Amino acid sequence: MFSSLLSTLSVALAASAAVTTIVPPGLQGTPFQPPPPPDLSGTVTDSDAIASTAEAIDQKSGPSGPPNQPINATTVTAVDGQIITSDSSDDSAPTRRSLRPLARRSPGVYETVFTGSGTGPTDRDASIHGTAFLTFTTVDNSTYNIAACEAFCDGIETCVFVNLFYELNNPHLDAASSNLVCAAYADVHTAAEKTNFGGQQLAPLPAGKTFIQDSSGFAAVSLVDPPTPEGYEFIFGPIAAANNAPGYMGFAFLDRYDVQACAEQCNQRGADSQGGECQFFNIWRALVNGVPTTYTCSMYFIPTDATTADNNGQGSLLVTESRGYRRINAVIDGGFEDFQLCDDFCFATSDSTWIGTSPPGGTDDATIFFFQPFAHNGNAVALLGSADADDALPGTLTPAKPLVTLPGRQYSIAFFQSSSFSPPAQEAAAFVNVLWNGEIVGTIRPGFANFEFFQFTVTAVGHDVLAFNGGAAPAWSFIDDVTVFEL
Ligand SMILES: *[C@@H]1O[C@H](CO)[C@@H](O)[C@H](O)[C@H]1NC(C)=O
Ligand SMILES: *[C@@H]1O[C@H](CO)[C@@H](O)[C@H](O)[C@H]1NC(C)=O
């Protein structure tokens, strides 16, 4: 019985009249190959990999060589558990728009975090060897010049902490005619991190080895929220918990708490085949045994908020300064979920945010469906190609309003397409044109495909018009989860 049914079906498909045997989407037909149910089980935050990499990484440094070296751009020190051993140049780290990390009011008001040993003949001390070192200078050593050191910090946008100390027997400093060093950091350090005691033979014998005296630390008192990167909105923080929701795409470590650098990681992250582009990032500082150790940038394809931030750390690792940012989708309701005309099965040619149109003579060639079994995510999805198979004309789907975009900026158009409603032979002709201000910027001919991800890059002129044109029933195309993100 079963096999005879199968052979009847294959005969019907092989016949030229096969099209008539397909019950179209508009009549609630069953897809030849239904979309796979969403499966997020493999996408939880890999806290173990983050913690073990944080234990292994060494991002600590301090002054060396001559004073007043230029400040380096923020660098990525690890990606997905792979520690990046410092390559010769930092060209790969884009700093299009440099922003403050743990931002300071300017000019800063400083508090003493720790004081020094004094300068007696036998007094010895240690300077900070810590994360987020920026650069150092020397200040006039006729007094213990705290004010000049704090003014140096004020002059560096990213500085929130300075370490002031004498270093003896260092010819680099003698050349600068002051042995009073002022080292600037983009994070606050404590006396526990006074671990550099000198001991280098920098000056020719018979000069002694370097040593440190009177090492004190000053931190900017009131830190303000860092500016929100362009293309993002601030969602939460600072809190002492990291995001723990699914949709995780991986992590990068940064050498500083740099929200902009984290946004750039998210922008450059390759898309997830099921979840699409990075839509949310969580930046936080890892303290290991109480000491700033690295700055984690975790990326997600599902936006979230503080309610899913419940990871406070593990073992010796503590999560601090955790902030969440959501990427702004220029497309309103890219998932079509605002379409709620019914609660089981219905479709329409438009809703409040999308408009579907048919060419002359066409019927329902671009529609929005409420029907979970057709959708990539959620309950709703768009369809190109006549919903009831009334014609074989392509339809056009466009947002009801032009997109709010910034002229001259690059944007990534991304979406999921499924052409698996009809059997492969009938879907072979499936196509979708992606239009940007009326110009075709990309055409996909996916053949038989079940919700695959597609992406195109465009440049905005402002108030841009996005459209999808395609479908030729029975070569239907479902479109879902449309995003337009600034790059
Ligand atoms: C910047 O990076 C280079 C190369 O890693 C390093 O030699 C230099 O000391 C760094 N500059 C500062 C101010 O740390
Ligand atoms: C200031 O620094 C210079 C250069 O290292 C050193 O020769 C001099 O003795 C220092 N003066 C004081 C008061 O420490």
Side-chain angles (χ1 to χ4, degrees):
M1 158 75 182
F2 184 62
S3 66
S4 78
L5 219 163
L6 266 183
S7 59
T8 312
L9 184 68
S10 51
V11 166
L13 290 178
S16 57
V19 170
T20 58
T21 69
I22 300 169
V23 180
L27 298 174
Q28 210 177 326
T30 303
F32 181 82
Q33 191 184 91
D39 177 15
L40 296 172
S41 57
T43 69
V44 292
T45 307
D46 191 351
S47 313
D48 288 344
I50 294 174
S52 61
T53 312
E55 301 280 352
I57 202 151
D58 181 7
Q59 297 184 187
K60 300 183 175 79
S61 67
S64 69
N68 303 313
Q69 294 170 35
I71 296 169
N72 287 327
T74 301
T75 57
V76 174
T77 58
V79 175
D80 299 334
Q82 204 74 35
I83 291 175
I84 298 166
T85 43
S86 64
D87 42 0
S88 47
S89 86
D90 55 10
D91 293 348
S92 60
T95 47
R96 273 192 308 175
R97 307 159 206 141
S98 91
L99 292 177
R100 297 184 289 274
L102 291 172
R104 176 204 72 225
R105 285 186 208 289
S106 213
V109 177
Y110 296 83
E111 65 183 356
T112 305
V113 185
F114 54 85
T115 53
S117 58
T119 52
T122 59
D123 285 326
R124 295 290 180 270
D125 208 345
S127 62
I128 292 291
H129 182 69
T131 57
F133 171 69
L134 295 169
T135 186
F136 75 104
T137 191
T138 54
V139 291
D140 177 5
N141 65 355
S142 57
T143 62
Y144 191 69
N145 212 331
I146 298 171
C149 189
E150 291 175 351
F152 177 64
C153 192
D154 280 348
I156 300 170
E157 199 180 22
T158 52
C159 176
V160 297
F161 172 85
V162 278
N163 179 207
L164 181 66
F165 59 91
Y166 292 100
E167 182 170 340
L168 284 297
N169 295 328
N170 182 338
H172 290 302
L173 305 182
D174 296 337
S177 72
S178 175
N179 55 11
L180 186 56
V181 173
C182 175
Y185 291 84
D187 202 350
V188 176
H189 295 289
T190 62
E193 297 169 78
K194 286 165 63 162
T195 57
N196 176 23
F197 293 87
Q200 292 172 287
Q201 187 68 55
L202 296 184
L205 292 167
K209 293 178 177 172
T210 60
F211 65 93
I212 310 290
Q213 288 190 307
D214 214 3
S215 168
S216 56
F218 306 91
V221 174
S222 50
L223 301 180
V224 296
D225 277 326
T228 300
E230 196 174 290
Y232 286 81
E233 60 181 318
F234 172 70
I235 302 295
F236 70 78
I239 58 174
N243 183 34
N244 212 9
Y248 177 67
M249 304 176 82
F251 74 95
F253 281 170
L254 304 172
D255 72 344
R256 277 163 239 172
Y257 191 97
D258 188 332
V259 174
Q260 178 66 34
C262 190
E264 284 164 10
Q265 288 295 304
C266 183
N267 293 356
Q268 291 162 14
R269 191 86 193 177
D272 180 272
S273 64
Q274 282 314 299
E277 301 210 84
C278 178
Q279 305 211 20
F280 185 89
F281 71 82
N282 178 209
I283 184 170
W284 50 275
R285 173 177 63 181
L287 298 183
V288 175
N289 297 316
V291 169
T293 300
T294 190
Y295 308 90
T296 303
C297 174
S298 296
M299 291 158 274
Y300 298 84
F301 57 75
I302 301 175
T304 183
D305 58 28
T307 59
T308 58
D310 61 8
N311 172 18
N312 304 106
Q314 56 199 100
S316 57
L317 183 149
L318 265 189
V319 174
T320 60
E321 294 282 342
S322 172
R323 287 180 173 87
Y325 296 83
R326 177 194 177 118
R327 211 166 171 189
I328 297 169
N329 189 354
V331 173
I332 298 165
D333 193 30
F336 306 98
E337 296 302 317
D338 291 349
F339 180 66
Q340 293 175 353
L341 208 57
C342 60
D343 56 15
D344 55 350
F345 177 88
C346 55
F347 66 95
T349 54
S350 68
D351 69 2
S352 57
T353 52
W354 289 94
I355 297 170
T357 51
S358 300
T363 306
D364 291 346
D365 294 322
T367 49
I368 304 157
F369 272 72
F370 186 100
F371 192 48
Q372 183 274 325
F374 291 168
H376 178 242
N377 269 309
N379 292 309
V381 62
L383 177 69
L384 296 177
S386 181
D388 286 350
D390 293 321
D391 58 67
L393 300 170
T396 300
L397 183 76
T398 190
K401 287 186 192 141
L403 309 187
V404 177
T405 45
L406 292 172
R409 296 274 194 264
Q410 284 206 311
Y411 286 81
S412 168
I413 303 171
F415 60 96
F416 285 85
Q417 193 276 164
S418 184
S419 41
S420 67
F421 188 89
S422 296
Q426 283 73 27
E427 288 283 7
F431 76 99
V432 178
N433 292 317
V434 180
L435 293 100
W436 187 250
N437 300 320
E439 301 276 329
I440 295 178
V441 292
T443 298
I444 61 166
R445 298 187 186 280
F448 183 85
N450 195 342
F451 277 125
E452 289 175 356
F453 176 80
F454 295 92
Q455 187 273 331
F456 298 93
T457 301
V458 291
T459 302
V461 296
H463 305 288
D464 296 88
V465 176
L466 170 71
F468 298 99
N469 164 260
W476 285 286
S477 281
F478 286 94
I479 305 274
D480 208 351
D481 299 324
V482 180
T483 56
V484 172
F485 289 130
E486 186 180 339
L487 286 171

Coordinates of all heavy atoms in Angstrom, one line a residue, residues 69-72 88 133-135, ligand 1:
Q69 N 55.8 57.3 23.8 CA 55.5 56.5 22.6 C 54.0 56.7 22.3 O 53.2 56.8 23.2 CB 55.8 55.0 22.8 CG 57.3 54.7 23.1 CD 57.5 53.3 23.5 OE1 56.8 52.4 23.1 NE2 58.5 53.1 24.4
P70 N 53.7 56.7 21.0 CA 52.3 56.8 20.6 C 51.4 55.6 21.2 O 52.0 54.5 21.3 CB 52.3 56.8 19.1 CG 53.6 56.3 18.7 CD 54.6 56.5 19.8
I71 N 50.2 55.9 21.5 CA 49.3 54.9 22.0 C 48.8 54.0 20.8 O 48.4 54.4 19.8 CB 48.1 55.5 22.7 CG1 48.6 56.4 23.9 CG2 47.1 54.5 23.1 CD1 47.5 57.3 24.5
N72 N 49.0 52.7 21.1 CA 48.5 51.7 20.1 C 47.0 51.6 20.1 O 46.4 51.8 21.1 CB 49.2 50.4 20.3 CG 50.6 50.4 20.0 OD1 51.1 51.0 19.1 ND2 51.4 49.6 20.7
S88 N 53.3 41.5 14.1 CA 54.2 42.7 14.0 C 53.4 44.0 13.9 O 53.8 45.0 14.5 CB 55.1 42.5 12.8 OG 54.3 42.1 11.6
F133 N 47.6 48.9 29.4 CA 48.6 50.0 29.4 C 48.5 50.8 28.2 O 48.3 50.3 27.1 CB 50.0 49.3 29.5 CG 51.1 50.3 29.3 CD1 51.4 51.3 30.3 CD2 51.9 50.2 28.2 CE1 52.5 52.2 30.1 CE2 53.0 51.1 28.0 CZ 53.2 52.1 28.9
L134 N 48.7 52.1 28.3 CA 48.5 53.0 27.1 C 49.9 53.5 26.7 O 50.3 53.3 25.6 CB 47.6 54.1 27.5 CG 46.1 53.7 27.7 CD1 45.3 54.9 28.3 CD2 45.5 53.2 26.5
T135 N 50.5 54.3 27.6 CA 51.8 54.9 27.2 C 52.3 55.5 28.5 O 51.6 55.5 29.6 CB 51.7 55.9 26.1 OG1 53.1 56.3 25.7 CG2 50.9 57.1 26.5
Ligands
LIG1 C1 52.8 49.5 20.5 O1 53.0 48.2 20.0 C2 54.4 48.0 19.6 C3 54.4 46.6 18.9 O2 53.8 45.6 19.7 C4 55.3 48.0 20.9 O3 56.6 47.8 20.5 C5 55.1 49.4 21.5 O4 55.9 49.4 22.7 C6 53.7 49.7 21.8 N1 53.5 51.0 22.3 C7 53.2 51.3 23.5 C8 53.1 52.7 23.9 O5 53.0 50.4 24.4

